[in-house]
Amino acid sequence: EAGLIQGALAEFMLVDSDLISLKPTSLSFAESAALPLVTITAWEGLFDRAQIKKEDNILIHGGAGGVGHIAIQLARQHGARVATTVSSEDKAKVAGAEDVIFYRNEKVEDYVQRLTEGKGFDVVFDTIGADNLDKSLTAAKVSGQVVSIIGTNKHDLTLMHKKGLSLHLVFMLLPMLTGKGRAHHGYILNNVAKLIDEGSIKPVIHKETF
């Protein structure tokens, strides 16, 4: 039950079978362990909430981050064109998006003009939060969609109103906390495991493991 969730500071623990899937055969245990949180979050944002379509023009903020680098791969595998914001050339290589934005050097209005002819992105996935959500509202097209995984700050939604935007907030722990929709987590992990073993998705982990 939702109220009986246990932590993981034990050698063995009971797990709800709805929440899990088999480890991808092509990955190590460390690589596999890095997947569920970021993968479920990325999947829910792109497919369950924004319901992205093939050839959508998508902006993913923080492309070298955990959620970001998986979201880029999922969106590209789905046939979308993906742009991402990063801070360095090294992070751009990790992200692997078609269009790279060095956010320290280029204003939102400038990259919207450069990459979308000023129209804005169909979907903006914000993995950063805070004032980056405001940048996401600016980058989205009229009647576009914005997805965020951090909704704890205060924002002026005037621009969202003027552009008729949809805002989705993703909190992947909800099925574990509420007990509802747990099997969907297993469904996501099973599907992504297949994509990984087919070579379509590859997680990036730090060289140091503990």
Side-chain angles (χ1 to χ4, degrees):
E1 296 180 10
L4 298 178
I5 296 174
Q6 300 178 29
L9 296 178
E11 292 185 40
F12 300 97
M13 62 184 292
L14 294 174
V15 179
D16 185 343
S17 60
D18 281 344
L19 293 170
I20 62 175
S21 75
L22 293 175
K23 180 183 81 66
T25 57
S26 59
L27 294 186
S28 67
F29 281 97
E31 289 172 317
S32 299
L35 280 170
L37 172 61
V38 297
T39 301
I40 291 169
T41 301
W43 182 289
E44 289 184 346
L46 293 173
F47 302 129
D48 297 340
R49 302 302 183 87
Q51 298 181 358
I52 65 169
K53 301 182 296 297
K54 186 178 181 180
E55 298 181 359
D56 271 352
N57 202 355
I58 298 176
L59 169 61
I60 297 174
H61 286 293
V67 175
H69 87 285
I70 293 294
I72 288 171
Q73 294 179 74
L74 287 174
R76 291 185 66 187
Q77 194 275 335
H78 195 67
R81 182 174 184 87
V82 182
T84 192
T85 57
V86 293
S87 61
S88 68
E89 290 284 357
D90 286 342
K91 289 188 176 181
K93 292 176 183 177
V94 171
E98 288 94 335
D99 300 313
V100 175
I101 300 159
F102 296 101
Y103 64 85
R104 291 172 178 164
N105 305 328
E106 192 172 18
K107 294 179 180 179
V108 178
E109 293 81 2
D110 292 336
Y111 64 70
V112 167
Q113 182 62 44
R114 175 170 66 88
L115 297 174
T116 72
E117 299 180 337
K119 297 174 183 177
F121 294 89
D122 299 300
V123 177
V124 182
F125 197 154
D126 174 24
T127 70
I128 308 298
D131 64 349
N132 210 71
L133 180 57
D134 301 313
K135 295 177 182 178
S136 299
L137 302 181
T138 301
K141 73 175 186 180
V142 171
S143 299
Q145 300 188 81
V146 176
V147 181
S148 181
I149 62 174
I150 303 170
T152 54
N153 297 89
K154 294 182 179 180
H155 299 273
D156 181 352
L157 300 182
T158 300
L159 182 58
M160 183 179 169
H161 186 193
K162 288 182 176 179
K163 295 170 75 171
L165 302 177
S166 298
L167 174 62
H168 309 276
L169 292 171
V170 174
F171 183 35
M172 67 81 64
L173 288 176
L174 278 176
M176 284 176 273
L177 297 175
T178 65
K180 298 178 181 179
R182 289 184 172 192
H184 189 53
H185 276 196
Y187 168 84
I188 293 170
L189 294 176
N190 275 310
N191 275 276
V192 173
K194 293 175 184 176
L195 293 174
I196 289 169
D197 286 336
E198 291 169 359
S200 300
I201 306 290
K202 174 71 175 176
V204 176
I205 64 171
H206 198 279
K207 61 183 179 180
E208 298 290 342
T209 57
F210 302 92

